[in-house]
Amino acid sequence: MAASQLFVAISARALAATAESLTLPQLRALVVLDTCGPVTLTALAATLGVNPFTALRMAERLAAVDMVDRRTNPANRRKVLLTLTRAGHELVTTVLEQRQAASVCW
C-alpha cells in the first residue's frame, strides 16, 4: 500500500510540474490513448473503469486544452474516435520521463 501511495505521489508531482491544470484521472486517459491509439469513447470508459458520461466529460475537457482530438469513426459514423494530439503525446512523454526519474531516486 505504501509503495502504491508513493507511486501516485510521484505521478502527481510529475504532472504538477508539467501541467498543473490536469488531474491524475485525465493523465490516465491520456496514457490510455497514447498506449492504445485511437479508441472509441466506450472503450476509453471501459479501460478507465468509469461510465461513458464521465469519459465523455473528460474527453471534452482534454479536447478543450488540445490534448485530445475527437473525430467521427469512419467505420461507424455514429461513434467518435479519440486520439492523442501532438501536445497530448508530448505531455505524456514528459510526465512519464519525470515519473521514472523520480522513482529511480527512491
Side-chain angles (χ1 to χ4, degrees):
M1 184 66 155
S4 177
Q5 291 173 337
L6 179 62
F7 192 66
V8 169
I10 290 170
S11 296
R13 193 173 314 133
L15 181 60
T18 56
E20 54 189 54
S21 64
L22 293 182
T23 64
L24 283 174
Q26 289 170 333
L27 175 62
R28 274 187 69 217
L30 294 175
V31 171
V32 167
L33 292 173
D34 191 50
T35 304
C36 300
V39 298
T40 63
L41 189 62
T42 305
L44 179 64
T47 303
L48 295 175
V50 299
N51 68 49
F53 181 70
T54 300
L56 173 64
R57 288 189 331 199
M58 189 179 304
E60 288 174 344
R61 288 183 183 133
L62 291 170
V65 293
D66 194 37
M67 297 289 157
V68 171
D69 185 39
R70 297 171 36 180
R71 294 181 188 234
T72 303
N73 184 345
N76 182 346
R77 297 186 58 77
R78 293 179 297 164
K79 295 194 176 204
V80 172
L81 279 180
L82 303 171
T83 57
L84 210 54
T85 62
R86 178 172 293 207
H89 174 71
E90 289 172 0
L91 175 74
V92 168
T93 301
T94 301
V95 170
L96 294 181
E97 285 173 353
Q98 288 182 359
R99 184 173 73 182
Q100 184 172 358
S103 64
V104 168
C105 297
W106 297 95

